[in-house]
Amino acid sequence: MMDREELITILGAPLGDLATDRELFAEAVEVRNRTVGDKVYLRGLIELSNRCRKNCLYCGIRSGNKGVDRYELTDEQVLAATEYAWRSGYGSVVIQAGERTDDAFTDRIELLVRQIKSLSNNELGITLSLGEQEREVYRRWFRAGAHRYLLRIEASSPKLYAKIHPADHSQKKRLDCLGFLKEEGYQVGTGVMIGLPYQTVGNLADDLLFFKTLDIDMCGMGPYIEYPGTPLSGVRSIFTRDERLQLALRMIALLRLLMPDINIASTTALHALHPRGRELGIAAGANVMMPNLTPAAVRGNYKLYDNKPLQDMDLRGFNVALENAWGDSHHFASRLSKARASTERRK
Ligand code: 5AD
Ligand code: SF4
């Protein structure tokens, strides 16, 4: 198992030429193919709404950004997109939105989850990515049929977290939420941004070790990309955009070596920095992609960062797994069987 120093050595090696990382990427791909297989799993991404009560200093849809047209998909739009996903053979959909905690919102999600389950004969897997909620809310959504949840920690270092968020955004709360999600039975995904202002390769090494300690089932991480006008956009990162892309690929590869059987997403932010960014992510050890199924009319409004690609993804050339399998995290399956074995032992 790699220790912090080894991780720092690899992450801190000179940046500039992707070819330097060829061996690292090849090893990660070999490990992936041996553990979770060589298929790319698809999740249809539906961006339900860009309304958000949070005000993260890096994000384009932060509540303080008054220049955004706020939208909310109707139930009909959400159900039409999920039905499309189901009929096209997707195993699962991801429902993502800015954070809202009011009853109207949490009730609506619960109902939507139930409707998606029934329209797909219980076949479509549902991943939620809806921010920090009360444990009770996570429980209700789980009972309604959601089984995975994505909640990025953004930065595992408490100091760095504090620098990229307003004072009333609490990292502890987020950690508590990750704990609740796990206890409620979800497969849990988290992740970080790579190349943030103030961030060092030491921070990134610690992020990887944090994922390992938390024993996550899924990970989505991508390069940080300035959004003009946000408070953080005026602060320089020590990494250029090209370097962030390369670092993100190193992070994917190292995580695959550290946690061979988890699901790792090749994220849209990679694509924003490179026309073949998502392919590069897969070639560095990722195994999940999330084509955007949000109706085109509002897609331009869900802009977390600059230059976010809007076009549909070209899937030619990918070894896509489209067999109505949920593409569940192998890690989660082994986590469950370990838990069962230990309850057996305790009996
Ligand atoms: N650059 C890259 N990623 C961003 N996110 C938000 N703003 C940015 C940005 N400027 C990411 C966060 C969030 C996810 C939905 O999008 O990690 O969790
Ligand atoms: Fe809201 Fe997420 Fe953007 Fe923060 S990163 S402002 S929680 S959408």
Side-chain angles (χ1 to χ4, degrees):
M1 168 66 193
M2 274 175 292
D3 64 13
R4 183 167 191 272
E5 288 316 307
E6 285 171 273
L7 294 172
I8 289 179
T9 306
I10 296 173
L11 291 167
L15 292 158
D17 185 0
L18 283 181
T20 19
D21 298 318
R22 198 181 293 137
E23 275 179 39
L24 173 68
F25 297 161
E27 194 186 340
V29 163
E30 197 267 318
V31 167
R32 177 197 66 205
N33 293 353
R34 202 156 22 88
T35 50
V36 294
D38 62 356
K39 293 236 163 37
V40 175
Y41 288 89
L42 297 185
R43 320 267 182 248
L45 176 65
I46 300 167
E47 295 157 333
L48 179 87
S49 168
N50 64 356
R51 298 209 174 100
C52 187
R53 63 193 208 97
K54 286 284 181 70
N55 207 13
C56 306
L57 304 183
Y58 43 83
C59 180
I61 63 170
R62 64 199 299 270
S63 55
N65 185 354
K66 302 298 174 209
V68 195
D69 273 333
R70 303 287 169 172
Y71 75 87
E72 187 145 347
L73 297 184
T74 62
D75 288 359
E76 292 67 35
Q77 284 174 310
V78 175
L79 296 174
T82 47
E83 181 150 8
Y84 167 83
W86 182 53
R87 293 198 186 287
S88 336
Y90 280 78
S92 82
V93 289
V94 182
I95 311 256
Q96 187 166 72
E99 191 174 298
R100 268 182 63 185
T101 51
D102 51 286
D103 292 347
F105 181 78
T106 59
D107 291 351
R108 178 179 179 218
I109 296 295
E110 185 177 353
L111 207 64
L112 275 173
V113 169
R114 288 189 198 284
Q115 285 171 310
I116 294 168
K117 284 315 245 194
S118 74
L119 79 76
S120 69
N121 290 329
N122 268 342
E123 281 174 15
L124 209 50
I126 302 178
T127 305
L128 299 178
S129 178
L130 304 168
E132 295 166 5
Q133 303 287 343
E134 301 290 327
R135 180 200 280 269
E136 204 47 48
V137 171
Y138 288 145
R139 181 174 300 167
R140 271 169 40 209
W141 291 347
F142 187 84
R143 288 200 178 139
H147 78 303
R148 298 195 189 104
Y149 205 100
L150 304 175
L151 182 65
R152 289 189 180 182
I153 190 71
E154 313 296 1
S156 66
S157 149
K159 268 193 193 152
L160 179 56
Y161 190 95
K163 281 192 165 138
I164 61 172
H165 292 101
D168 63 349
H169 289 30
S170 149
Q171 192 199 42
K172 166 152 189 320
K173 169 112 193 268
R174 189 150 300 200
L175 288 166
D176 288 347
C177 284
L178 287 166
F180 297 158
L181 287 164
K182 220 173 189 184
E183 286 163 17
E184 295 302 326
Y186 286 90
Q187 291 183 38
V188 177
T190 189
V192 295
M193 285 173 288
I194 296 157
L196 287 160
Y198 316 109
Q199 193 181 43
T200 63
V201 289
N203 291 142
L204 292 170
D206 289 335
D207 289 338
L208 291 171
L209 296 172
F210 168 85
F211 299 148
K212 181 93 189 161
T213 308
L214 206 66
D215 199 22
I216 60 171
D217 303 297
M218 313 176 283
C219 187
M221 45 187 178
Y224 163 69
I225 305 168
E226 293 85 352
Y227 187 95
T230 53
L232 211 64
S233 68
V235 189
R236 273 180 69 115
S237 158
I238 59 172
F239 304 105
T240 65
R241 288 190 176 196
D242 285 346
E243 289 173 343
R244 293 176 215 170
L245 173 76
Q246 189 172 3
L247 265 181
L249 297 172
R250 283 183 190 172
M251 288 286 284
I252 289 174
L254 287 170
L255 183 59
R256 176 59 69 198
L257 299 179
L258 281 175
M259 305 188 75
D261 61 353
I262 66 170
N263 282 334
I264 303 178
S266 187
T267 55
T268 316
L270 292 167
H271 186 188
L273 291 189
H274 191 289
R276 295 184 55 79
R278 261 178 309 214
E279 288 87 332
L280 293 171
I282 299 297
N287 69 326
V288 169
M289 290 200 297
M290 302 182 181
N292 196 332
L293 304 183
T294 310
V298 295
R299 205 177 283 179
N301 297 331
Y302 203 87
K303 269 191 136 182
L304 304 170
Y305 44 82
D306 208 15
N307 198 29
K308 186 170 173 242
L310 296 179
Q311 71 277 31
D312 282 323
M313 187 181 307
D314 185 356
L315 293 171
R316 278 171 302 185
F318 285 107
N319 184 7
V320 161
L322 262 187
E323 76 289 35
N324 274 335
W326 284 6
D328 276 338
S329 159
H330 290 237
H331 183 75
F332 181 72
S334 71
R335 189 149 77 69
L336 265 192
S337 61
K338 270 186 222 148
R340 288 210 187 100
S342 75
T343 2
E344 287 300 314
R345 274 198 301 278
R346 264 183 266 129
K347 270 185 192 160

